[in-house]
Amino acid sequence: MLCKSIVYSVQKSPKPRQLHHMPKAPLPGEPAKPYTLTEIPGPRSEALLNELSKIQQVASIQYFGDYQRSVGNYLADIDGNVFLDMFMQLSTLALGYNHRSILGALSCGGNQRVIANRPAIGLFPGLEWPCKIQDTLLQPCVAPKGLPCIFTAMCGACSIEHAIQMAFIKYAERHRRGKDFTEEEKESAPFNKPPGCPELSILSFEGGFHGRTFGALALTHYKYIMKIDIPSLQWPIAPYPQYLYPLDQHEKENKEEDARCLEQVEDLIERYEKNMPVAGILVEAIQCEGGDRHASPDFFLQLQDMCKRRSIPFILDEIQTGGGATGRIWAHEYFELNIPPDIVTFSYKMQASGFYHSPEYMPKQPYRVFNAWMGDPIQILLLEAVLQTIEAEDLLTHVCYVGNYLLCQLNTLQHEFSDIISSVRGRGFIIAFDTRCRDMKQKLMHLLRNKGIQVGDCGTKSIRLRPCLIFGEYHADIFLEILRDCLQELAEC
Amino acid sequence: MLCKSIVYSVQKSPKPRQLHHMPKAPLPGEPAKPYTLTEIPGPRSEALLNELSKIQQVASIQYFGDYQRSVGNYLADIDGNVFLDMFMQLSTLALGYNHRSILGALSCGGNQRVIANRPAIGLFPGLEWPCKIQDTLLQPCVAPKGLPCIFTAMCGACSIEHAIQMAFIKYAERHRRGKDFTEEEKESAPFNKPPGCPELSILSFEGGFHGRTFGALALTHYKYIMKIDIPSLQWPIAPYPQYLYPLDQHEKENKEEDARCLEQVEDLIERYEKNMPVAGILVEAIQCEGGDRHASPDFFLQLQDMCKRRSIPFILDEIQTGGGATGRIWAHEYFELNIPPDIVTFSYKMQASGFYHSPEYMPKQPYRVFNAWMGDPIQILLLEAVLQTIEAEDLLTHVCYVGNYLLCQLNTLQHEFSDIISSVRGRGFIIAFDTRCRDMKQKLMHLLRNKGIQVGDCGTKSIRLRPCLIFGEYHADIFLEILRDCLQELAEC
């Protein structure tokens, strides 16, 4: 059942306590199947798009959702179409649409009062804040081992921005060796000049995506359309391992690929040392936007080891991969690192955004890493509902089980339609496969969508699947059947 | 009644329809007065601070709020103290604590379903999105005149980040003269290199504050503690007018100050033209964090004129000043500009974050200014409640009326205690005064807080008042009486 060649690691107890006992059936309130009544986008979506185009760039909008009618794994649009949603709002919804635990949290009067008075958490946090943080982000089964401190922010990009600030501060503190700021540093900092604002850099990877703000975007090396015409920073960019699939047939080549990339990282650190030292290395646990590119646990182990040897903060971006998407709360649990990363960023399925860090990274002075809201209590209330559901329904085991099922079936399909799809890969519900070319990807996505399956794309020719945590075998079978139809149709063209 | 010397402009109808008819009395549910039972922070706050210090930097935290018990203008803490809150969570709460309209919006089941399914608005917006935007941000009495397009984001810093991206894109588009991207641009952009990522800059001002992300922080020139050890950008920084008060006694000097600053802006634009052209000028309508520094309408008129002559986008930051804080929805309404700014950013009292822009700034291609969530529908629902209340209770007129009352009384106090406070200034509820020195500021804030008045500080020695829009004469009198007591106490030291 478990295809070792296409996953890196497998949960030890693949049988979830509850959901796997369930018959292959829709969840309460869900339709039996997706259905479409119109071309996508339908006429009502088209009309609204036309309306909205006067005030916003709308070309990225696929259709308008009807979130009152959406339920579980199904996203309803305003033209009466109902999609089996395997993209789940860019992978940000953990429990699908209108989950009872989320609606329950929002209908509670006490919670409404917490939400109504969004505080400046860095100045006047609510009385429940420390306790809620302990019960959610810092639960022993949630917080990455060895990282008991957290910083919260409003979104993923802000998490990255503040995380790299903490790395810079730590780097400078280490070189200051306990001395106070000099007058020259204090006077130059407000004017962006050294020594107050030093020439330091963060090393990032080709194909990485970390967000759209200036710092996060400078660390992003993906599609040109998100960077063109925007100035950036001359920070070091290293190659990221690009493996040959299936993995078990290319062990040697892929090992060499790891070595090649790591060598270049080391080389870049040395080349930048004199004029713009590397104060942090930022890497995604899985490169998602860049094409669901997985690097091996060994790559991460060696990368972290290099950071340790050189006293460079090792920052792991789990914005897209955290919150149970891989069948563990954090994708990096699969890497079995010997020591924790220095900083781990989160957002998306975690509902709340921010980062974990080790105690030694806590700045000694206040207001150094800070912002007006420092996150929003509503995000913690939603996270609380998500974590309680994950625990109550043993959803991590469920994700491993159904994820493996889906991977195995996709593996079969890739043999059958090897001209069209290849390189099936994944961990839990972070699953992708390649198509022959960009054009083929568009065609397949179009066919799927018109048959009621919503997926996402990534890289240049990959299709990514990001079902929510309550996606079951029943839903997988619906998807697989429709995917087979689409592939058949493409094969016959 | 109206002190022309200390405000720049006065509403034509200073009598609000409703609130000014109200007797000087607390609002429903409010206590008669603030009261303190403990030192601040009290023992329960101290204990929680100690707890939280293990996981977060807490030195910025003043005390823990009890948001279930807070009401209207009063913030309750967890030690039984109740503060008259004239800082309102960094000026972000528009209607005070637990306002019926906000609680009403959150208790509505339909709204809860909108909130429960936070969509990726740039891909799958909800059916109500265009309509809600029209009814809130784009209402004719809300949207800045001539700016019918909007972009939404999660927080103020992200608004600035995306706003400057739009300026860069516009600048490049203008220089590209209708041509497509070159292959060289497309290939270099993902690697941060020119020509894809060009050497362009944004001009900002000394004393300005725009946020904590890399781009926003590079445009911020205020306290060293927020910038030290963090690398930055060598973009041009111009001086910001620093006026002598009272304004009517220093007209000539202040006019010269405007001319001096504008000359330097022009000089910087020319000096940067060759190697790093200025692609946008970013300025706050009132410099808030920097010390509530107001520049004259004439300064803004001339600055905008300079931008127009040189085809440089004029970006006005109204994150802290928008949403009715000045007695108009936008502070820049007081400037009586002949043409609209190119971009106006908002957040804070507007509940939602983002920016308005003119239609010509809309990028031609999708995904150029974009992020995962593109704001959050809950923010628009809260804004809707705020705007309906502003309209129903004529709160803008109310703010002008009570703001002028407060300014006049502070003006009297500054004559009486001229050794301690000076330079009373403000528009509507954006009010500040200077103290003799930083140490005196701390002492006065400490005294005020222990007598139950929560204010904020800004600049080096200024105290800022940021009451919410339902702050009345009754509350002003309580504040003024306690302030007088504190000043008396300081005078006797």
Side-chain angles (χ1 to χ4, degrees), chain A residues 64-91:
Chain A
F64 285 82
D66 182 342
Y67 294 106
Q68 306 286 327
R69 286 177 51 240
S70 300
V71 60
N73 291 282
Y74 289 88
L75 168 57
D77 79 358
I78 61 172
D79 286 282
N81 304 300
V82 174
F83 302 90
L84 177 63
D85 191 353
M86 299 178 68
F87 194 37
M88 279 292 159
Q89 308 297 328
L90 277 167
S91 191

Side-chain angles (χ1 to χ4, degrees), chain A residues 159-197:
Chain A
S159 307
I160 294 290
E161 294 279 347
H162 292 301
I164 63 171
Q165 288 174 4
M166 219 171 245
F168 288 130
I169 288 169
K170 185 71 195 162
Y171 184 96
E173 186 188 289
R174 196 172 278 137
H175 284 75
R176 199 173 274 120
R177 294 162 196 264
K179 285 190 210 128
D180 203 358
F181 306 125
T182 66
E183 284 309 309
E184 206 188 345
E185 284 172 334
K186 290 197 252 185
E187 279 159 22
S188 56
F191 300 97
N192 299 11
K193 302 276 186 220
C197 296

Side-chain angles (χ1 to χ4, degrees), chain B residues 11 13-14 16 141 323-330 333-334 389-391 393-402 428 469:
Chain B
Q11 287 280 40
S13 57
C141 60
T326 62
R328 299 196 182 172
I329 291 289
W330 306 107
E333 293 174 50
Y334 288 99
T389 307
I390 287 177
E391 166 68 17
E393 301 185 3
D394 196 14
L395 288 180
L396 296 185
T397 318
H398 169 78
V399 168
C400 289
Y401 181 79
V402 180
L469 308 182

